[in-house]
């Protein structure tokens, strides 16, 4: 299975969309609906920290297993768990960027009312959560890097090809029949 890496700059559109959506919801939610959807409960920040730690731990386990010499491996590592770590890393990077934009957009709207106690609390909640989301984005990018396999020294590798190239074995396809 081949899973191409997601370039780091793919997170920039997620950040921009989140920024626009967060600012729009904060701006229009107060003006028209009379219900405020701004802010982030502290439990959201705590869950995002836990999620980042879990994904980083899984990615480090995959990296440790993939870079260990096959003869020195002591335990079996489930390949499905490695796939889960990779997918979670990719998702965390994009979701972290989008959520950082979401809370950053709310900060842009709320900062004009920062002198009011309610908005000061919302500003602090959004700032802390946005920083955690940026950290999660970085953890996702690093986790995806950690999940990649080391280079394979298969038959096409120059070092291996040089050794086998010394043998004079003619492939069956190049033999001429008379």
């Amino acid at each position: 299975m081949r899973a191409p890496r997601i370039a780091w700059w793919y997170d920039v559109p997620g950040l921009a969309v989140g920024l626009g959506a967060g600012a729009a919801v904060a701006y229009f939610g107060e003006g028209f609906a009379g219900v405020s959807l701004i802010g982030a409960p502290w439990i959201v920040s705590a869950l995002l920290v836990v999620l980042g730690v879990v994904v980083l731990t899984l990615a480090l386990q995959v990296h440790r297993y993939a870079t260990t010499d096959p003869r020195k491996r002591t335990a079996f590592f489930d390949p499905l768990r490695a796939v889960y770590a990779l997918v979670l890393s990719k998702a965390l990077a994009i979701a972290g960027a989008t959520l950082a934009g979401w809370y950053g957009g709310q900060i842009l709207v709320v900062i004009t009312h920062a002198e009011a106690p309610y908005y000061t609390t919302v500003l602090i909640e959004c700032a802390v959560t946005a920083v955690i989301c940026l950290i999660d984005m970085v953890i996702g990018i690093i986790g995806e890097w950690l999940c990649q396999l080391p280079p394979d020294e298969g038959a096409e590798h120059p070092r291996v090809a040089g050794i086998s190239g010394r043998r004079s074995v003619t492939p069956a396809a190049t033999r001429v029949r008379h």
Side-chain angles (χ1 to χ4, degrees):
M1 180 178 129
R2 176 121 171 93
R5 290 203 52 207
I6 296 175
W8 64 268
W9 54 269
Y10 277 36
D11 298 324
V12 175
L15 191 65
V17 167
L19 187 72
V25 165
Y27 181 75
F28 293 119
E30 286 185 340
F32 297 117
V35 177
S36 180
L37 298 173
I38 58 176
W42 291 114
I43 189 72
V44 171
S45 299
L47 288 174
L48 287 170
V49 168
V50 169
L51 186 62
V53 169
V54 166
V55 169
L56 184 61
T57 303
L58 286 171
L60 285 171
Q61 289 174 354
V62 170
H63 182 70
R64 189 173 337 133
Y65 182 81
T67 57
T68 302
D69 185 19
R71 294 173 297 222
K72 294 181 182 178
R73 293 181 182 150
T74 58
F76 174 73
F77 190 80
D78 186 15
L80 194 56
R81 198 163 88 187
V83 172
Y84 289 157
L86 177 64
V87 170
L88 284 171
S89 295
K90 290 175 182 267
L92 186 66
I94 293 172
T98 305
L99 287 173
W102 174 266
Y103 293 116
Q106 291 182 18
I107 289 171
L108 291 177
V109 173
V110 170
I111 204 158
T112 59
H113 310 299
E115 61 278 349
Y118 170 73
Y119 288 109
T120 302
T121 304
V122 168
L123 187 64
I124 292 169
E125 290 172 348
C126 287
V128 169
T129 308
V131 168
I132 291 170
C133 288
L134 286 174
I135 292 169
D136 277 352
M137 179 187 73
V138 171
I139 287 173
I141 293 169
I142 291 171
E144 187 180 357
W145 177 81
L146 288 172
C147 288
Q148 64 186 357
L149 293 173
D152 183 25
E153 293 188 10
E156 292 84 25
H157 192 274
R159 203 171 3 153
V160 176
I163 294 170
S164 65
R166 293 183 205 152
R167 296 184 215 141
S168 60
V169 177
T170 308
T174 61
R175 292 187 190 148
V176 180
R177 289 188 172 170
H178 294 296

